[in-house]
Amino acid sequence: MTARIGIYGLGTMGSALAMNMATKGIDIAVSNLEPEMIDAFMTRSGDVSDKVTRCEDLAALVQALPTPRLILAMIPSTGPIDALIDQLMPLLDKGDTLIDAGNADFNDTRRRNEKMEAAGFHFVGLGVSGGEEGARHGPSMMFGGSADSWDGLKPILEAIAARFEGDPCVARLGPDGAGHFVKTVHNGIEYADMQMIAECYDLLRHGTGRDLAEVAQVFDGWNEGPLASYLMEITAKVLRAPDSRADGPIVDAIVDAAGQKGTGRWTVIEAVRLGQSATMIEGAVAGRAWSAERDLRAAVEKSYGNERGTVPLMSDRLEQAVLAARVLEYAQGFRILMAASAEFGWDLDAARIAEIWRAGCIIRARLLDDISAAFRAGPPQGELLLSPAFAEVLEQGIPALREVVGQAVAAGFPVPVLSGALTFWDSLRQGHGTANLIQALRDFFGRHGFDRLDGQDFHHGPWWD
Ligand code: 6PG
């Protein structure tokens, strides 16, 4: 019995992770519901097939593993994972670990963890980012589960993880749903980053009149500076790619309706539940929802037209604006993470999360190195926005952001994420805001009461005298 870990589910991501392990010299056992996918994987494993034990079904997979067993499932994190748990529990021994490496709702992970732990097993919610390429050659992985299960899995996960200057991009972030929650917020940031990129593309191409090659050049340029990131890099590549089936660039041949599997939406839902508001992620989720309303958009355009003005934007000014907005985006993401950490007693380490996002994952970006350093230095109130490391970026970038949003709004370009960034900033820098009026109204119609600035122990307006 040589296999150290079993992989169940040999779809795109499962087989890529399995191949990553085998090529790192880790002996694995593999299985899948449909046997033809096991055959396909065995063929694919080629040179490293001696590292792979083929198992016809789940029972054989369990039999092929030494105890305490480690079984990683890469199947849909919805009903199929629940069904797998039910099938597996009678086959496992106490102390065995099941890892759900899909994009699960962390609430489900907490429920599944409770069920398996009560029966003496470990359940791990593992967030895996980086797409197929990442899974095959080095993903970023966010681990939520018991310390015991981490001890067993750490050497395997560190061997297959992406590395940032030698540091493996994987960490135990907390128990139960912590890993899947962090992955969800990662995806929320991914949504906001992509929507922000799309807004910049629109402003540059249709607002300033640059052609696609010039827009691609702008993204290439940004990728050389403080905005350097995987998403900037691939944006330039995508904008340059031709349509292989017709004349013109491929981007012009794609239907303008964005899909979504749910993680961005979950981020917003959880943020609101935690009393937070991630305006930028909300803007991105809204952007995708509106994009799906193609018939309505066409009808409104037909009735009212889509006249848009020009935007006299300099690309370096836009770069400064986007950099400030990215800092605000991460500030929002980390606020959600820290709120969840307090709510669920996870003790999340913000610096370590930023560190394991520096390579392998979709949002990997140069800025994350500065963010992790800022968290390591301990910013006032634990707030990224108060870190001296970002004072200059914000002082220079906010006026640029204001200029960009102002021009976009005046010219009729929708910028839900860029404007969401500015709204967040302008709300936060108000030491004294306008909620006094909200409180007065609440008291007026519902006798809800309010606190007085002078501290007097009288909590109602004259309308109740
Ligand atoms: C990643 C990605 C990955 C997946 C998203 C896409 O980190 O590798 O986030 O998990 O591409 O889930 O999500 P949508 O389909 O919702 O855009």
Side-chain angles (χ1 to χ4, degrees), residues 22-44:
T23 49
K24 297 284 164 23
I26 297 164
D27 289 293
I28 58 174
V30 298
S31 193
N32 193 83
L33 186 62
E34 300 84 6
E36 55 278 12
M37 289 179 72
I38 315 179
D39 296 335
F41 181 79
M42 294 311 294
T43 310
R44 184 181 170 190

Short mmCIF file of all heavy atoms in Angstrom, two decimals, residues 22-44:
data_model
loop_
_atom_site.label_atom_id
_atom_site.label_comp_id
_atom_site.label_asym_id
_atom_site.label_seq_id
_atom_site.Cartn_x
_atom_site.Cartn_y
_atom_site.Cartn_z
N ALA A 22 1.45 13.61 -8.60
CA ALA A 22 2.26 12.50 -9.13
C ALA A 22 3.61 13.01 -9.64
O ALA A 22 4.65 12.38 -9.41
CB ALA A 22 1.49 11.79 -10.23
N THR A 23 3.59 14.16 -10.30
CA THR A 23 4.87 14.66 -10.84
C THR A 23 5.78 15.20 -9.73
O THR A 23 6.97 15.34 -9.94
CB THR A 23 4.67 15.76 -11.91
OG1 THR A 23 3.76 16.73 -11.40
CG2 THR A 23 4.12 15.22 -13.20
N LYS A 24 5.20 15.47 -8.55
CA LYS A 24 6.04 15.88 -7.41
C LYS A 24 6.52 14.64 -6.65
O LYS A 24 7.08 14.74 -5.55
CB LYS A 24 5.26 16.81 -6.47
CG LYS A 24 4.83 18.12 -7.10
CD LYS A 24 5.97 19.09 -7.22
CE LYS A 24 5.76 20.27 -8.15
NZ LYS A 24 4.44 20.72 -8.49
N GLY A 25 6.23 13.45 -7.20
CA GLY A 25 6.74 12.22 -6.58
C GLY A 25 5.83 11.66 -5.49
O GLY A 25 6.24 10.78 -4.73
N ILE A 26 4.61 12.19 -5.41
CA ILE A 26 3.68 11.71 -4.37
C ILE A 26 2.86 10.54 -4.92
O ILE A 26 2.26 10.66 -6.00
CB ILE A 26 2.75 12.87 -3.92
CG1 ILE A 26 3.59 13.99 -3.29
CG2 ILE A 26 1.66 12.38 -2.98
CD1 ILE A 26 2.88 15.31 -3.15
N ASP A 27 2.87 9.43 -4.20
CA ASP A 27 2.08 8.27 -4.64
C ASP A 27 0.61 8.54 -4.36
O ASP A 27 0.24 8.90 -3.23
CB ASP A 27 2.53 7.02 -3.89
CG ASP A 27 3.90 6.58 -4.35
OD1 ASP A 27 4.02 6.15 -5.50
OD2 ASP A 27 4.86 6.70 -3.55
N ILE A 28 -0.21 8.36 -5.40
CA ILE A 28 -1.64 8.66 -5.24
C ILE A 28 -2.48 7.46 -5.67
O ILE A 28 -2.03 6.62 -6.45
CB ILE A 28 -2.05 9.90 -6.08
CG1 ILE A 28 -1.74 9.69 -7.57
CG2 ILE A 28 -1.35 11.16 -5.59
CD1 ILE A 28 -2.26 10.81 -8.47
N ALA A 29 -3.72 7.42 -5.15
CA ALA A 29 -4.72 6.47 -5.65
C ALA A 29 -5.83 7.32 -6.24
O ALA A 29 -6.15 8.39 -5.70
CB ALA A 29 -5.25 5.62 -4.50
N VAL A 30 -6.39 6.90 -7.37
CA VAL A 30 -7.40 7.75 -8.02
C VAL A 30 -8.66 6.94 -8.34
O VAL A 30 -8.59 5.74 -8.61
CB VAL A 30 -6.87 8.38 -9.33
CG1 VAL A 30 -5.68 9.28 -9.06
CG2 VAL A 30 -6.53 7.32 -10.37
N SER A 31 -9.78 7.65 -8.30
CA SER A 31 -11.02 7.02 -8.73
C SER A 31 -12.01 8.08 -9.19
O SER A 31 -11.78 9.29 -9.00
CB SER A 31 -11.63 6.18 -7.60
OG SER A 31 -12.66 5.37 -8.14
N ASN A 32 -13.07 7.62 -9.80
CA ASN A 32 -14.06 8.52 -10.38
C ASN A 32 -15.36 7.74 -10.56
O ASN A 32 -15.33 6.53 -10.75
CB ASN A 32 -13.55 9.01 -11.75
CG ASN A 32 -14.36 10.18 -12.28
OD1 ASN A 32 -14.11 11.32 -11.91
ND2 ASN A 32 -15.35 9.91 -13.12
N LEU A 33 -16.47 8.48 -10.51
CA LEU A 33 -17.76 7.80 -10.67
C LEU A 33 -17.85 7.11 -12.04
O LEU A 33 -18.25 5.96 -12.14
CB LEU A 33 -18.89 8.84 -10.52
CG LEU A 33 -20.32 8.31 -10.50
CD1 LEU A 33 -20.54 7.37 -9.33
CD2 LEU A 33 -21.31 9.47 -10.42
N GLU A 34 -17.43 7.83 -13.10
CA GLU A 34 -17.47 7.24 -14.45
C GLU A 34 -16.10 6.61 -14.73
O GLU A 34 -15.10 7.32 -14.80
CB GLU A 34 -17.75 8.29 -15.52
CG GLU A 34 -19.07 9.04 -15.38
CD GLU A 34 -19.00 10.22 -14.42
OE1 GLU A 34 -17.88 10.53 -13.94
OE2 GLU A 34 -20.05 10.80 -14.13
N PRO A 35 -16.06 5.27 -14.95
CA PRO A 35 -14.76 4.60 -15.12
C PRO A 35 -13.96 5.09 -16.32
O PRO A 35 -12.73 5.08 -16.29
CB PRO A 35 -15.12 3.12 -15.28
CG PRO A 35 -16.59 3.03 -15.21
CD PRO A 35 -17.19 4.35 -14.95
N GLU A 36 -14.65 5.60 -17.35
CA GLU A 36 -13.88 6.03 -18.54
C GLU A 36 -12.98 7.21 -18.21
O GLU A 36 -11.94 7.41 -18.83
CB GLU A 36 -14.79 6.32 -19.74
CG GLU A 36 -15.91 7.32 -19.56
CD GLU A 36 -17.17 6.75 -18.91
OE1 GLU A 36 -17.16 5.62 -18.38
OE2 GLU A 36 -18.19 7.47 -18.92
N MET A 37 -13.35 7.99 -17.18
CA MET A 37 -12.49 9.11 -16.80
C MET A 37 -11.24 8.61 -16.05
O MET A 37 -10.20 9.26 -16.06
CB MET A 37 -13.27 10.14 -15.98
CG MET A 37 -14.27 10.87 -16.89
SD MET A 37 -15.27 12.06 -16.06
CE MET A 37 -14.11 13.37 -15.73
N ILE A 38 -11.39 7.45 -15.41
CA ILE A 38 -10.19 6.87 -14.77
C ILE A 38 -9.24 6.40 -15.88
O ILE A 38 -8.02 6.64 -15.82
CB ILE A 38 -10.54 5.68 -13.85
CG1 ILE A 38 -11.76 6.00 -12.97
CG2 ILE A 38 -9.34 5.29 -13.00
CD1 ILE A 38 -12.19 4.86 -12.05
N ASP A 39 -9.80 5.79 -16.91
CA ASP A 39 -8.97 5.34 -18.05
C ASP A 39 -8.25 6.54 -18.66
O ASP A 39 -7.04 6.48 -18.93
CB ASP A 39 -9.84 4.70 -19.15
CG ASP A 39 -10.53 3.44 -18.66
OD1 ASP A 39 -10.00 2.82 -17.72
OD2 ASP A 39 -11.59 3.09 -19.21
N ALA A 40 -9.00 7.61 -18.87
CA ALA A 40 -8.40 8.80 -19.50
C ALA A 40 -7.27 9.34 -18.63
O ALA A 40 -6.20 9.72 -19.13
CB ALA A 40 -9.47 9.88 -19.70
N PHE A 41 -7.48 9.31 -17.32
CA PHE A 41 -6.42 9.82 -16.44
C PHE A 41 -5.19 8.91 -16.49
O PHE A 41 -4.06 9.39 -16.53
CB PHE A 41 -6.92 9.95 -14.99
CG PHE A 41 -5.84 10.49 -14.09
CD1 PHE A 41 -5.54 11.85 -14.08
CD2 PHE A 41 -5.07 9.64 -13.30
CE1 PHE A 41 -4.51 12.36 -13.30
CE2 PHE A 41 -4.04 10.14 -12.51
CZ PHE A 41 -3.77 11.50 -12.51
N MET A 42 -5.42 7.59 -16.51
CA MET A 42 -4.28 6.66 -16.53
C MET A 42 -3.45 6.89 -17.80
O MET A 42 -2.23 6.88 -17.76
CB MET A 42 -4.75 5.20 -16.46
CG MET A 42 -5.42 4.82 -15.15
SD MET A 42 -4.53 5.28 -13.64
CE MET A 42 -3.07 4.26 -13.73
N THR A 43 -4.13 7.15 -18.91
CA THR A 43 -3.41 7.43 -20.16
C THR A 43 -2.61 8.73 -20.00
O THR A 43 -1.43 8.80 -20.36
CB THR A 43 -4.42 7.59 -21.33
OG1 THR A 43 -5.28 6.48 -21.30
CG2 THR A 43 -3.71 7.69 -22.65
N ARG A 44 -3.27 9.74 -19.42
CA ARG A 44 -2.63 11.04 -19.27
C ARG A 44 -1.41 10.96 -18.36
O ARG A 44 -0.45 11.72 -18.51
CB ARG A 44 -3.67 12.02 -18.70
CG ARG A 44 -3.16 13.43 -18.59
CD ARG A 44 -4.21 14.36 -18.00
NE ARG A 44 -3.57 15.65 -17.71
CZ ARG A 44 -4.13 16.63 -17.04
NH1 ARG A 44 -5.34 16.51 -16.57
NH2 ARG A 44 -3.47 17.75 -16.81
#
